[in-house]
Amino acid sequence: MHAYFMKGTVLIFCLLLSVVNALSAQETAGIRFSDMNYEAALKAAKESGKLVFIDVYTTWCPPCKRMEKEIFPLAEVGNTYNKSFINCRINAEDKEGSVVARKYNVGGYPTYLFLNEEGEVLHRGLGYNPDPAVFLRLAKVAADNAKRNWTVESMQKKYAQKKNDPDFLITYIRKLEELHMDKDVQAPLDQYLSLIRDDAAFTSFNINFLLQHIKSIPSNTVDFIIAHQDDFVAGILPDELYPEKISRTKEEKYGSVMNNVIMGSMVTAISQKDKALFELIHDKARQVKHLGGKFQLSFFGFSTQFSVTTKDTTGLIKQLHAFADTTLPSEMKNLSQYSQRFYDHWYYPYLIGKEDSTKIKDFVAEKESWKGNYQRYLAKTVDNAARRYLEFGTSRDDFQQGITLGKTAAELNKEIPDAFNTMALLYYKTHRQKKALKYQRQAVSLSNQQQRAVMEQQLNNMKLRKAIDE
């Protein structure tokens, strides 16, 4: 009896131990992020002999959320990062986080900083990639650089010594871009331009080199390019910009480059709440040619986000009125042309055999879907504008304008539940319950499983004439 009891006790103990081990394994899967601040992380690195990894993110950044959800929790990622790094996450919009972001010239999110114990940069990374091997490679490069005592700061010291050497500048600029140090590219690129003024600036190599590496506004190089747009468009080489997939005219390639510069600068203006930069971007954007159809929609979205972030309700309402009165009518007029061009860009690599259509599960359905892709994007943008009126409007006229935009969004995409929901909430806000109920029922009928519970609750509140949490 005693032996049996002992055997049972041992068995239970082993089972408990296996459960504890399993829970411990679960806890160690993925990156273990510390809640220590920047200074504490450097101190911990000195004490432990580890390096420092910092994920610099913002709360509104979709790629940041995907990394947090899909890559950071992976066991293989955790094994590498937990072994070699003190791991921290820093919100670039927090008080302390903004200081770190400025210190390391962070220009996009998420940015990954790999530091030695002195806070010197061993390596950098940027953005989301679904392949964890890409993220693991960043850690390996950082570790290799630490072993050979290479840092970004040592490279920058060399730049100070050789800044009048055009050949060195070319190499240096390319290295900075490889490290996603977009903000740091501006000064050496402007310096390079200062050394190749006059006719040398318009050689085929220099035109394409400058266009490949411009990153932000303000910049002497951007100003120079805008002042000589026709020359730069004419000098674009067919295979230098976007060579791999998309059939574009020289004008479209130029417009795509400038679009990226403008939008990247808008992200900086939003994250830093920099009104002077915001206004400068608007001024430069008015001067740039060939920006293409989708630009106005994206630019409007970034502009309204800036106003929301800076709590400029007056400026936001002006932007919404301008969109409704000017931008939207123009987009509607050119909708067919823009939709066709957007579709052609997607379809071209399959047409010439650079992409394999057999790898798409239902290529015919995918192809048909892309024919309406631009129109759905426009519908979403219009609904977002209507939603801004709902959230920030101050008069019945504002709310009525939101309703009009909501109707336009629904006409562009009759399967978008958000547009009907926006109209319903606007009608309810202006005490027109019958119409509010009509459109809310349509929103519920179109909603997916994730949306339905919220929309049904809103519908019930409307029936009971209760307040609705928008």
Side-chain angles (χ1 to χ4, degrees):
M1 186 73 175
H2 179 71
Y4 178 80
F5 176 77
M6 288 297 294
K7 287 180 181 178
T9 303
V10 171
L11 178 60
I12 292 171
F13 175 78
C14 291
L15 288 172
L16 288 172
L17 183 62
S18 67
V19 170
V20 170
N21 287 338
L23 290 173
S24 177
Q26 289 177 0
E27 289 174 357
T28 57
I31 299 180
R32 294 193 300 270
F33 284 101
S34 169
D35 59 359
M36 64 180 67
N37 63 22
Y38 170 77
E39 296 294 343
L42 294 183
K43 182 179 179 181
K46 289 181 181 180
E47 294 172 350
S48 65
K50 291 184 176 183
L51 306 175
V52 175
F53 164 65
I54 300 177
D55 168 42
V56 186
Y57 71 97
T58 67
T59 56
W60 49 265
C61 158
C64 302
K65 295 175 182 177
R66 295 197 69 176
M67 287 297 294
E68 182 180 3
K69 181 180 179 181
E70 300 173 24
I71 303 299
F72 295 160
L74 297 177
E76 58 185 317
V77 171
N79 289 339
T80 295
Y81 277 75
N82 296 334
K83 179 181 178 181
S84 303
F85 297 93
I86 304 295
N87 302 299
C88 301
R89 300 193 74 213
I90 290 180
N91 185 343
E93 294 181 327
D94 284 349
K95 185 176 181 180
E96 181 188 359
S98 64
V99 174
V100 174
R102 283 195 297 271
K103 175 180 175 65
Y104 292 104
N105 258 347
V106 172
Y109 306 101
T111 285
Y112 314 115
L113 300 174
F114 299 84
L115 313 177
N116 63 18
E117 62 182 27
E118 302 299 329
E120 296 174 324
V121 180
L122 297 163
H123 197 43
R124 293 173 62 122
L126 175 70
Y128 163 82
N129 191 298
D131 183 0
V134 174
F135 189 59
L136 289 169
R137 167 123 184 104
L138 295 175
K140 183 180 185 307
V141 173
D144 290 344
N145 287 344
K147 289 177 183 177
R148 61 190 182 95
N149 293 320
W150 184 94
T151 65
V152 168
E153 285 76 6
S154 65
M155 181 180 68
Q156 290 171 330
K157 288 178 182 177
K158 192 172 182 181
Y159 162 65
Q161 298 166 358
K162 304 189 70 174
K163 64 189 305 181
N164 291 319
D165 181 346
D167 291 333
F168 170 79
L169 289 174
I170 290 171
T171 302
Y172 180 60
I173 288 165
R174 286 173 172 164
K175 183 63 178 177
L176 289 172
E177 184 162 285
E178 178 188 328
L179 293 168
H180 305 288
M181 298 177 66
D182 290 358
K183 287 187 175 182
D184 295 82
V185 168
Q186 178 179 310
L189 192 66
D190 286 348
Q191 173 67 9
Y192 179 78
L193 176 65
S194 72
L195 300 176
I196 59 161
R197 288 284 189 174
D198 304 322
D199 292 344
F202 299 102
T203 64
S204 179
F205 173 84
N206 283 328
I207 283 176
N208 289 275
F209 180 77
L210 293 174
L211 286 174
Q212 283 175 328
H213 296 289
I214 52 173
K215 299 297 178 186
S216 62
I217 296 170
S219 161
N220 292 339
T221 305
V222 168
D223 291 345
F224 182 80
I225 291 171
I226 292 175
H228 301 89
Q229 291 182 84
D230 293 340
D231 293 315
F232 273 78
V233 170
I236 290 175
L237 292 174
D239 295 329
E240 287 296 317
L241 301 170
Y242 302 98
E244 71 285 357
K245 285 188 175 182
I246 299 173
S247 171
R248 297 181 190 262
T249 64
K250 290 185 175 184
E251 288 78 8
E252 287 173 329
K253 290 181 178 182
Y254 172 79
S256 294
V257 170
M258 300 306 290
N259 175 87
N260 291 341
V261 172
I262 292 168
M263 297 308 174
S265 300
M266 286 291 276
V267 170
T268 301
I270 292 168
S271 64
Q272 297 182 0
K273 301 180 182 179
D274 189 333
K275 187 173 182 180
L277 176 58
F278 177 76
E279 292 175 349
L280 180 64
I281 294 167
H282 273 258
D283 178 58
K284 296 298 179 184
R286 284 190 287 267
Q287 301 174 44
V288 176
K289 300 178 181 179
H290 314 303
L291 284 170
K294 199 174 178 181
F295 171 81
Q296 292 297 338
L297 301 181
S298 300
F299 194 64
F300 166 71
F302 277 108
S303 295
T304 55
Q305 182 60 51
F306 179 86
S307 294
V308 171
T309 301
T310 57
K311 300 180 180 179
D312 180 11
T313 303
T314 301
L316 174 62
I317 296 299
K318 286 182 180 178
Q319 290 165 354
L320 293 172
H321 287 336
F323 175 79
D325 296 340
T326 305
T327 305
L328 181 57
S330 175
E331 292 294 319
M332 295 293 287
K333 180 180 178 181
N334 295 297
L335 178 59
S336 177
Q337 173 191 341
Y338 292 157
S339 295
Q340 185 62 44
R341 195 62 186 159
F342 201 65
Y343 166 75
D344 289 344
H345 287 167
W346 171 82
Y347 185 55
Y348 180 74
Y350 297 99
L351 184 66
I352 64 174
K354 283 191 175 183
E355 294 285 345
D356 185 0
S357 62
T358 62
K359 292 182 179 180
I360 305 296
K361 185 176 181 181
D362 191 344
F363 183 73
V364 174
E366 181 79 2
K367 184 177 176 182
E368 288 302 312
S369 174
W370 268 87
K371 288 183 178 179
N373 195 290
Y374 186 86
Q375 185 163 325
R376 287 192 295 274
Y377 182 79
L378 176 58
K380 187 66 177 175
T381 303
V382 174
D383 176 58
N384 285 341
R387 183 71 61 156
R388 296 296 194 193
Y389 272 119
L390 171 65
E391 295 171 343
F392 299 99
T394 57
S395 68
R396 191 178 180 88
D397 286 343
D398 289 341
F399 301 137
Q400 186 58 48
Q401 185 71 277
I403 290 170
T404 301
L405 289 176
K407 288 179 178 178
T408 301
E411 289 170 3
L412 287 165
N413 183 1
K414 292 180 173 58
E415 298 179 357
I416 179 171
D418 291 343
F420 293 99
N421 177 242
T422 301
M423 283 189 286
L425 293 172
L426 283 161
Y427 274 122
Y428 193 72
K429 196 161 191 169
T430 52
H431 309 293
R432 288 175 279 182
Q433 188 192 31
K434 186 175 180 180
K435 287 190 175 182
L437 292 172
K438 171 188 172 182
Y439 287 112
Q440 188 64 14
R441 289 190 182 101
Q442 286 181 272
V444 171
S445 69
L446 291 169
S447 63
N448 57 36
Q449 187 175 0
Q450 186 177 3
Q451 298 169 313
R452 186 155 299 168
V454 172
M455 290 191 176
E456 286 181 339
Q457 183 61 51
Q458 290 175 338
L459 179 60
N460 290 333
N461 287 345
M462 288 178 183
K463 291 176 180 178
L464 298 172
R465 297 183 182 274
K466 289 185 176 181
I468 295 176
D469 182 7
E470 297 158 2

